Amino acid sequence: MKKFGLVTLGIIAGIVALVNLGPLLGLGISALFVIAGVHFYLKSDSSLLKIFWATVGIIGLLTAISNIPGFVGILSIVALYFIWKTWNKEELSLSIPKKDDPFVNFETQWNELNK
């Protein structure tokens, strides 16, 4: 039943991520404007260029903040990542064979004998 829930949540998160590809692209472009504004603001020497790059950075920040569907897309990608990690963790925990070799499990057998 847990696998069914993970598959269902994965499908829903995948659909949400695909639907929000456009806003994610817009959020990325806004982030580039913010990064460029901060970078060139710190490198510029004149006051006019500092005002211009600060304005570019603020505009990029405002467009990034107002891009709520982009943040929903990021959340769905994060959810897909955690679903993937949970799915793989279950697969790994089920596929580890327990060895009954006495030489491999010497410490556990020694502790059992000393009890």
Side-chain angles (χ1 to χ4, degrees):
M1 190 66 180
K2 188 173 183 180
K3 296 253 186 198
F4 177 73
L6 286 175
V7 167
T8 305
L9 287 175
I11 290 172
I12 291 170
I15 290 171
V16 170
L18 286 175
V19 166
N20 289 320
L21 281 179
L24 280 171
L25 182 65
L27 188 63
I29 292 171
S30 297
L32 285 176
F33 276 119
V34 171
I35 291 169
V38 170
H39 175 74
F40 290 116
Y41 175 81
L42 293 174
K43 285 200 171 220
S44 62
D45 292 329
S46 69
S47 297
L48 186 62
L49 282 176
K50 283 191 181 272
I51 291 171
F52 173 74
W53 288 116
T55 305
V56 168
I58 290 171
I59 289 172
L61 184 66
L62 290 175
T63 58
I65 290 172
S66 66
N67 195 357
I68 294 174
F71 290 115
V72 172
I74 289 174
L75 288 176
S76 67
I77 291 172
V78 169
L80 276 173
Y81 173 74
F82 282 119
I83 290 169
W84 180 263
K85 293 290 279 187
T86 304
W87 184 276
N88 285 338
K89 183 170 52 172
E90 284 184 359
E91 290 289 327
L92 290 176
S93 66
L94 294 176
S95 66
I96 297 174
K98 183 178 179 183
K99 296 184 179 181
D100 292 329
D101 186 14
F103 296 109
V104 173
N105 297 322
F106 176 75
E107 290 294 326
T108 57
Q109 289 179 358
W110 183 258
N111 289 334
E112 289 176 8
L113 288 174
N114 286 334
K115 285 184 182 179

